[in-house]
């Protein structure tokens, strides 16, 4: 019953709400493995026995397991505990579904958990290089930040239509998704935003001084990164998942500084977020 109840809480997988479930299953297809493979079904659970579970569990601790310990842990006690683990490995057959568009053309859809129109514009793509990954994040942070982000200034200060503009970038070990989320007040504002969006972005990324200022702003906000063990491990694990290695701060900052070049940023925009590769839809209240 505990497992069944936990599964019910994942009913919106791979999102956590009605809207986000639609984003990742009906707008884009981002379920790389089936829901059943991740959580099983109630019928599967009914067939599970202690013996079956034990056979699966023996592969939980594998020979390639790495343990990182920090703080005032007693190393002798930790090593003794770890030495009692039974290590086994088993290669499973891979069953993987690539990201893809389900409904790329602009459309509107009703949701019970939406209170105002929310315009989404996004793209899905094969895994970029690490340098390009840095540039994609730079571009979307540049466009949306509340300090001098051109989309934020346009929609918040010039128009007074939005309190904020947000972005998301998700990457697996094979591909990625980039997303702009813009809450607005009505569908007329959505139509006007769609009409002007690309021109506004093109103007912003064509200004070298504007890009240079943003590079320095972003680097400045990261001055306190790597200050705690937790943060260091978090960044290291992200790098390992993302590109199979830990990236030095020097390399990261080198890639970020390249984003002061308009031609480079424009090439990133065209390849990963330009009009020809983007999909869009608007979530509206039901």
């Amino acid at each position: 019953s505990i497992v069944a109840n936990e599964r019910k809480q994942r009913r919106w997988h791979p999102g956590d709400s009605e809207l986000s479930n639609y984003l990742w299953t009906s707008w884009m297809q981002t379920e790389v493995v089936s829901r059943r493979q991740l959580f099983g079904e109630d019928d599967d659970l009914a067939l599970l026995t202690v013996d079956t579970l034990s056979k699966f569990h023996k592969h939980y601790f594998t020979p390639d397991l790495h343990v990182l310990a920090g703080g005032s842990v007693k190393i002798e006690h930790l090593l003794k505990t770890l030495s009692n683990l039974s290590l086994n490995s088993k290669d499973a057959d891979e069953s993987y579904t690539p990201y893809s568009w389900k409904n790329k053309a602009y459309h509107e859809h009703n949701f019970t958990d939406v209170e105002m129109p929310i315009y989404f514009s996004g793209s899905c793509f094969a895994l970029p290089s690490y340098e390009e990954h840095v540039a994609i994040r730079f571009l979307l942070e540049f466009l949306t930040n509340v300090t001098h982000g051109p989309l934020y200034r346009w929609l918040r200060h010039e128009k007074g239509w939005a309190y904020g503009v947000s972005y998301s970038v998700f990457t697996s070990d094979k591909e990625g998704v980039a997303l702009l989320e813009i809450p607005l007040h009505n569908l007329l504002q959505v139509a006007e935003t769609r009409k002007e969006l690309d021109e506004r972005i093109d103007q912003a990324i064509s200004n070298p001084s504007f890009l240079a200022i943003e590079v320095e702003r972003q680097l400045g906000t990261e001055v306190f990164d790597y200050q705690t063990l937790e943060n260091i491990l978090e960044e290291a694990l992200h790098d390992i998942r993302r590109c199979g290695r830990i990236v030095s701060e020097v390399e990261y900052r080198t890639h970020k500084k390249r984003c002061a070049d308009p031609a480079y940023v424009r090439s990133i925009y065209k390849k990963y977020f330009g009009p020809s590769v983007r999909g869009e839809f608007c979530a509206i209240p039901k």
Side-chain angles (χ1 to χ4, degrees):
S1 63
I2 293 174
V3 176
N5 286 333
E6 286 288 330
R7 184 182 296 112
K8 290 177 183 177
Q9 295 182 35
R10 306 296 199 278
R11 66 188 183 279
W12 297 120
H13 175 81
D16 55 13
S17 66
E18 181 185 359
L19 172 57
S20 60
N21 176 267
Y22 183 88
L23 278 172
W24 310 129
T25 63
S26 299
W27 186 41
M28 297 181 191
Q29 157 53 38
T30 63
E31 289 187 288
V32 295
V33 296
S34 69
R35 177 186 172 86
R36 182 179 183 184
Q37 183 174 340
L38 289 174
F39 303 121
E41 302 293 349
D42 289 344
D43 292 342
D44 301 318
L45 183 60
L47 298 174
L48 191 64
T49 66
V50 173
D51 181 59
T52 305
L53 184 61
S54 297
K55 289 179 180 178
F56 281 113
H57 187 265
K58 73 178 183 179
H59 299 292
Y60 189 83
F61 297 104
T62 69
D64 60 353
L65 179 72
H66 290 74
V67 177
L68 300 176
S72 58
V73 63
K74 294 182 178 180
I75 298 298
E76 296 80 5
H77 177 70
L78 177 62
L79 293 176
K80 182 179 179 180
T81 301
L82 294 176
S83 66
N84 293 329
L85 295 179
S86 177
L87 305 179
N88 295 278
S89 63
K90 180 177 177 62
D91 293 329
D93 295 334
E94 184 178 40
S95 177
Y96 177 85
T97 303
Y99 290 1
S100 61
W101 285 108
K102 297 293 287 292
N103 194 356
K104 184 180 178 182
Y106 176 77
H107 61 285
E108 297 163 3
H109 193 80
N110 300 92
F111 298 90
T112 58
D113 57 350
V114 169
E115 297 180 353
M116 65 181 66
I118 305 175
Y119 171 67
F120 291 91
S121 183
S123 62
C124 56
F125 40 80
L127 192 68
S129 67
Y130 179 74
E131 180 178 4
E132 291 174 319
H133 174 74
V134 172
I136 293 169
R137 285 188 172 274
F138 168 85
L139 171 64
L140 296 179
E141 170 67 16
F142 164 58
L143 294 174
T144 62
N145 76 84
V146 299
T147 303
H148 52 227
L151 297 187
Y152 178 82
R153 286 193 169 189
W154 167 42
L155 295 170
R156 176 73 180 99
H157 296 295
E158 292 182 30
K159 296 291 189 179
W161 290 349
Y163 288 106
V165 180
S166 60
Y167 76 92
S168 303
V169 178
F170 306 106
T171 55
S172 70
D173 60 348
K174 292 181 173 66
E175 48 211 343
V177 166
L179 179 73
L180 279 178
E181 179 177 344
I182 306 176
L184 297 161
H185 294 291
N186 55 60
L187 292 179
L188 290 176
Q189 294 176 1
V190 173
E192 185 67 23
T193 299
R194 293 182 59 220
K195 182 180 179 181
E196 292 190 40
L197 183 63
D198 293 313
E199 181 181 354
R200 293 279 180 166
I201 294 175
D202 185 66
Q203 289 176 354
I205 62 178
S206 299
N207 188 324
S209 61
F210 207 1
L211 291 175
I213 291 172
E214 176 63 13
V215 167
E216 292 305 311
R217 189 194 72 83
Q218 290 191 24
L219 290 176
T221 63
E222 297 158 1
V223 68
F224 293 111
D225 286 354
Y226 308 107
Q227 297 298 305
T228 66
L229 176 60
E230 181 180 9
N231 184 254
I232 291 171
L233 292 178
E234 180 181 327
E235 293 296 326
L237 288 173
H238 175 268
D239 290 345
I240 291 171
R241 294 191 191 101
R242 172 61 189 75
C243 53
R245 63 187 176 89
I246 296 176
V247 178
S248 71
E249 187 177 6
V250 171
E251 180 182 351
Y252 168 78
R253 292 174 68 88
T254 298
H255 295 328
K256 180 65 71 75
K257 289 179 179 179
R258 189 181 176 190
C259 295
D261 177 6
Y264 175 62
V265 176
R266 186 177 290 106
S267 70
I268 294 296
Y269 173 64
K270 181 179 179 180
K271 182 177 180 180
Y272 291 106
F273 208 73
S276 64
V277 299
R278 285 204 317 266
E280 53 181 354
F281 95 97
C282 184
I284 56 178
K286 182 173 289 186

